Amino acid sequence: MYVGDDASRSPRLHRFLAEHARRLPYMTEARIRSAAAMTVDGRDEPASEELITAMGPGRWPYRIIDRSVDQRLEKHALLVAVRFWPHRTFTCFTPPEVLPVVDEERLPPPVPEATGPADLWWADDATAIEVTLNGWPPEQDRWTVRYFARTPRQAADANPTVYAAIGHETVPADWCALCSHDIAPGTTCPPVRDTNDRHRRGRP
Ligand SMILES: [Zn+2]
């Protein structure tokens, strides 16, 4: 459970929490934070402001995925805001523990509040680019790159933009985890018909 009263959070996250979070009116953020706990070496400790998320799929080593609860929420709120837009998906490979090197001049402004150790975001009113770590076998890090555009015609800009901006081996993905279907290389996932249309109309 999480409450978003803090003015430091983005308007996007406030909208996301207002639409998706449930809150009991008598609960303050301080009470909820003090009730949060994490288990460390078998001991329960109060959750700190710098609560991080670690994932260790299979035999891969643990990795820090989010630098804070707020950043985790910010990236989720941004993905929810754009996920119904047409998009193209790529896979990028970097050496282990190396963040992708990106030429930001070719991209919309960065979104630092949503960006963390395993997620990079750039967005404006028309396009959004997400680079998210999806696997870290010992020999390399694998990143999913998604280019969201408000219109299918804009989505066609994905290939030249992504290939020019990302300085690592990058190839079209053959699977879209958002849509749960195979994608022919170089094609665009069409906009999703959301029963709740507000996500596609709103600002990213
Ligand atoms: Zn898709």
Side-chain angles (χ1 to χ4, degrees), residues 83 87-89 146 176-181 183 188-190 192:
R83 65 161 291 158
H87 51 273
R88 288 194 181 189
T89 308
R146 295 191 181 99
C176 178
L178 288 182
C179 304
S180 297
H181 62 54
I183 37 180
T188 302
C189 289
V192 177

Side-chain angles (χ1 to χ4, degrees), residues 153-166:
R153 193 167 60 80
Q154 289 172 313
D157 295 336
N159 292 43
T161 302
V162 166
Y163 292 141
I166 297 183

Side-chain angles (χ1 to χ4, degrees), residues 1-3 17-24 32:
M1 186 172 201
Y2 201 78
V3 177
L17 291 171
E19 291 175 4
H20 295 277
R22 285 184 297 171
R23 176 178 184 174
L24 302 176
I32 291 171

Side-chain angles (χ1 to χ4, degrees), residues 72-169:
R72 184 182 180 86
L73 286 168
E74 293 277 5
K75 76 175 187 184
H76 189 68
L78 181 48
L79 181 60
V80 167
V82 301
R83 65 161 291 158
F84 300 106
W85 293 4
H87 51 273
R88 288 194 181 189
T89 308
F90 305 84
T91 303
C92 166
F93 304 92
T94 66
E97 307 264 357
V98 173
L99 276 177
V101 174
V102 176
D103 179 359
E104 294 192 313
E105 285 194 8
R106 301 171 184 276
L107 302 181
V111 187
E113 64 271 21
T115 294
D119 295 273
L120 307 169
W121 275 98
W122 299 263
D124 60 20
D125 285 349
T127 55
I129 293 92
E130 172 197 27
V131 180
T132 183
L133 184 67
N134 73 14
W136 52 97
E139 66 276 12
Q140 65 184 2
D141 284 357
R142 293 201 299 254
W143 303 79
T144 295
V145 180
R146 295 191 181 99
Y147 185 105
F148 300 90
R150 226 175 239 286
T151 68
R153 193 167 60 80
Q154 289 172 313
D157 295 336
N159 292 43
T161 302
V162 166
Y163 292 141
I166 297 183
H168 303 274
E169 180 190 359

